[in-house]
């Protein structure tokens, strides 16, 4: 049985599925698909903590599915913009778990992860599956993935 480690860029998947389909990502269906006939060695969702009730309920759902939820505080800048980026945290965790898993699953369309996918494939010799919204996923990330799985159809909540 292959070992899998899963890394979900929660903000990215929320905004890309909303923008492309006006729907939400189905974490239950994703979990069933990504873990089928595999041993899960790690499964993380990375999110920004705004501290509201609806968000806490969502985090509890993710935990019940099997994810560990990693949170960063929401930072509002003086100019009104917001900061909340998990790219470095996801990268460090994925590199760490590349030694412990046969397959790395990344859920994000962020092109910044193309270097990560390349390194895990070429240096660690592991399969990298990338799930993303096709039209909003960087071509460079799709090209560096061992396999690109589009978020569409059954992976969206009805």
């Amino acid at each position: 049985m292959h070992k899998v480690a899963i890394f979900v860029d929660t903000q990215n998947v929320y905004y890309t599925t909303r923008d492309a389909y006006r729907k939400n990502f189905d974490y239950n269906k994703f979990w069933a698909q990504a873990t089928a006939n595999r041993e899960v060695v790690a499964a993380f969702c990375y999110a920004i903590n705004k501290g509201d009730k609806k968000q806490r309920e969502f985090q509890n759902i993710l935990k019940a599915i099997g994810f560990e939820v990693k949170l960063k505080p929401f930072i509002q800048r003086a100019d009104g913009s917001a900061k909340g980026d998990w790219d470095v945290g996801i990268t460090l965790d994925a590199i760490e778990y590349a030694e412990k898993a046969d397959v790395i699953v990344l859920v994000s369309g962020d092109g910044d992860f193309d270097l990560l996918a390349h390194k895990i494939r070429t240096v660690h010799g592991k399969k990298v599956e990338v799930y993303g919204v096709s039209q909003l996923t960087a071509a460079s990330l799709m090209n560096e993935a061992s396999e690109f799985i589009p978020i569409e159809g059954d992976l969206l909540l009805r």
Side-chain angles (χ1 to χ4, degrees):
M1 184 176 294
H2 285 104
K3 294 179 180 179
V4 64
I6 301 169
F7 306 90
V8 180
D9 184 349
T10 307
Q11 306 304 117
N12 182 278
V13 76
Y14 171 78
Y15 287 109
T16 58
T17 56
R18 186 191 70 177
D19 292 352
Y21 305 113
R22 301 211 187 298
K23 293 184 179 182
N24 290 314
F25 185 56
D26 189 331
Y27 283 87
N28 284 300
K29 292 255 178 77
F30 162 73
W31 181 271
Q33 183 173 320
T35 65
N37 301 313
R38 293 174 169 175
E39 176 188 342
V40 179
V41 296
F44 300 106
C45 282
Y46 301 83
I48 304 308
N49 187 12
K50 292 184 181 178
D52 63 69
K53 183 181 179 207
K54 187 175 179 182
Q55 189 181 50
R56 281 192 301 276
E57 290 170 355
F58 173 64
Q59 292 162 7
N60 287 333
I61 291 167
L62 293 174
K63 291 174 187 174
I65 292 169
F67 291 102
E68 178 180 331
V69 179
K70 292 193 172 193
L71 299 172
K72 273 189 177 180
F74 177 75
I75 298 170
Q76 186 81 37
R77 295 184 182 123
D79 68 358
S81 65
K83 175 155 178 50
D85 189 319
W86 266 107
D87 290 6
V88 172
I90 293 170
T91 299
L92 291 172
D93 287 348
I95 293 290
E96 176 184 344
Y97 281 93
E99 291 300 316
K100 302 170 187 172
D102 303 305
V103 180
I104 298 296
V105 174
L106 175 65
V107 181
S108 182
D110 189 335
D112 290 342
F113 291 121
D114 59 0
L115 295 171
L116 172 64
H118 179 81
K119 183 172 184 97
I120 290 172
R121 278 189 319 94
T122 61
V123 174
H124 297 281
K126 305 301 170 99
K127 182 177 182 182
V128 178
E129 294 175 356
V130 172
Y131 284 74
V133 173
S134 295
Q135 62 269 38
L136 298 173
T137 297
S140 60
L141 179 57
M142 287 192 238
N143 292 335
E144 288 296 344
S146 307
E147 181 179 0
F148 176 75
I149 299 109
I151 295 173
E152 60 190 12
D154 287 346
L155 291 174
L156 298 168
L157 289 171
R158 303 278 170 222

